[in-house]
Amino acid sequence: MSKPTEDELRPFFATIAARDTISDEEHRALVSAMGDRRVIAAGTDIAREGDRPPVSTLVLSGMTARYSTVEDGGRQITGLHLAGDFVDLHSFPLKIMDHSVASISRCTIAVVPHAELKHITEQFPHLTRVLWLLTLLEGSIHRQWLVAKGRLTADEQMAHLFCEQYVKAGIAGLTEGGRFALPLTQTQLGDALGLSIVHTNRTLQRLRRTRAIEWQDGIVQILDWDMLQELGQFDGSYLHLERVPR
Amino acid sequence: MPRYYFDIIENDHRSRDREGVDLPSLDDARREAQEALADMAAEVFRRSENATLTIEIRTEPDGASVEVVASASIRTN
């Protein structure tokens, strides 16, 4: 058991720095709120629907997914989180999990006790707004997924998701030469897009044929970013990348 | 798990599945094909007045189809 290092927290502070500036004191307050870091295997539930978690979880490395299951066993992934993302910051005020969170790949996580978050909300009003912003961003991303699912074709929706994941990875400092990790299986990609396996497979083959991306062994290489954005009708303004006082 | 290849035939155009999907059995492959047809019909039939959509399953990447699983068509004039 140990606390996360500054290096491990870099993606988290980068996601904040893309939208606001925090003081050294606020930075230290966030660092000291961190509980133990843990390594978890792929496919492990971090929080389950109905749980009352006493902590929120921050991803330090790897990828996690929010998901809900329906009666016939079908699974819908409603969010993907990478290093720097809180997977359940909202469980602090909401108390009961209304969905589950599982690791997609092997992950390193840090747990942040709700008591520490409470302390921050009582002592650091600006940091409180920053944390609020982070949960609002989740809502914004959910809205975009809903629009994509409801109004885009499968081809467009898939391209949109790749755009979003690339931009998010870039913010967290996790891209290099247009490459980033997307450790999803095709089934998981289908669960995130709400598409059947066969349709996902076909849509992915069509996307690959455009030569906008390559995706192999969990690594995406962006080949033509302009084309990918156009294919996905992607406009990243919903990610609110403006560094302004919140 | 065996691998199944799903060719999608839209009107006369066949998109050959060269990657395939690993599934436990042919029954599962049939179910997947049915779901995929429902998914794709919504898109295809929205943009064309006359269309036929068929899915064929193969068990070899270059082999003949083992069966036509699902087919749907629309005609509005």
Side-chain angles (χ1 to χ4, degrees):
Chain A
M1 292 286 184
S2 61
K3 297 224 174 195
T5 63
E6 271 289 337
D7 201 43
E8 287 176 313
L9 290 172
R10 195 171 299 151
F12 173 55
F13 286 113
T15 62
I16 292 175
R19 282 106 179 179
D20 201 348
T21 307
I22 60 170
S23 68
D24 290 346
E25 191 193 2
E26 288 171 326
H27 183 108
R28 280 194 300 275
L30 283 171
V31 171
S32 74
M34 298 291 153
D36 287 324
R37 74 194 269 294
R38 290 176 193 161
V39 177
I40 49 171
T44 310
D45 273 338
I46 295 169
R48 284 199 186 90
E49 187 175 336
D51 280 359
R52 214 178 251 278
V55 297
S56 285
T57 298
L58 177 70
V59 183
L60 301 175
S61 73
M63 177 169 262
T64 66
R66 261 185 223 300
Y67 71 94
S68 293
T69 46
V70 291
E71 273 177 18
D72 72 356
R75 185 161 112 136
Q76 177 67 46
I77 289 179
T78 56
L80 293 171
H81 295 106
L82 50 145
D85 288 338
F86 262 111
V87 303
D88 58 350
L89 192 53
H90 55 288
S91 75
F92 166 46
L94 291 181
K95 304 302 178 199
I96 295 179
M97 290 293 290
D98 53 30
H99 58 271
S100 303
V101 177
S103 54
I104 292 281
S105 65
R106 181 185 154 93
C107 290
T108 320
I109 58 170
V111 295
V112 184
H114 287 168
E116 295 292 337
L117 291 172
K118 185 161 184 264
H119 173 74
I120 285 177
T121 61
E122 285 167 354
Q123 302 299 320
F124 298 91
H126 174 244
L127 263 192
T128 304
R129 294 196 295 277
V130 168
L131 295 178
W132 184 7
L133 168 75
L134 295 180
T135 60
L136 291 177
L137 283 171
E138 292 287 320
S140 175
I141 291 169
H142 285 150
R143 280 193 293 282
Q144 213 58 40
W145 280 35
L146 186 61
V147 172
K149 180 63 201 165
R151 288 292 177 237
L152 298 185
T153 65
D155 290 354
E156 293 163 346
Q157 192 198 357
M158 186 179 283
H160 189 279
L161 184 70
F162 277 92
C163 287
E164 178 186 280
Q165 295 304 306
Y166 177 55
V167 172
K168 280 193 65 190
I171 296 163
L174 303 170
T175 57
E176 207 186 315
R179 280 189 319 138
F180 66 102
L182 189 68
L184 294 170
T185 63
Q186 276 199 34
T187 304
Q188 290 166 336
L189 178 64
D191 286 345
L193 297 171
L195 298 175
S196 64
I197 298 176
V198 174
H199 199 187
T200 303
N201 178 270
R202 186 215 193 193
T203 307
L204 186 59
Q205 289 189 36
R206 286 161 63 100
L207 181 59
R208 281 181 169 138
R209 275 203 297 273
T210 66
R211 301 287 299 149
I213 61 152
E214 273 173 3
W215 184 31
Q216 209 159 15
D217 303 324
I219 303 290
V220 176
Q221 171 74 55
I222 304 287
L223 300 172
D224 189 333
W225 175 236
D226 289 344
M227 190 204 291
L228 187 65
Q229 286 186 90
E230 202 173 310
L231 288 171
Q233 297 187 31
F234 183 77
D235 169 0
S237 55
Y238 72 98
L239 294 170
H240 300 276
L241 296 171
E242 191 192 5
R243 199 171 190 187
V244 290
R246 305 283 174 173
Chain B
M1 276 203 280
R3 181 163 289 193
Y4 296 93
Y5 299 82
F6 298 85
D7 285 2
I8 317 272
I9 302 139
E10 191 178 330
N11 300 322
D12 294 329
H13 178 76
R14 176 185 293 259
S15 309
R16 241 182 138 75
D17 178 6
R18 296 177 192 287
E19 298 183 11
V21 179
D22 294 334
L23 292 166
S25 70
L26 185 58
D27 267 353
D28 293 281
R30 282 193 197 105
R31 216 172 359 261
E32 287 299 335
Q34 190 188 336
E35 258 194 60
L37 188 81
D39 267 6
M40 285 185 284
E43 270 182 37
V44 171
F45 295 166
R46 204 175 282 140
R47 62 168 191 259
S48 40
E49 292 186 331
N50 298 293
T52 303
L53 194 60
T54 303
I55 298 182
E56 292 184 9
I57 300 180
R58 286 176 295 112
T59 48
E60 299 290 333
D62 301 310
S65 62
V66 290
E67 62 181 69
V68 177
V69 183
S71 182
S73 64
I74 186 171
R75 237 192 134 69
T76 53
N77 55 9

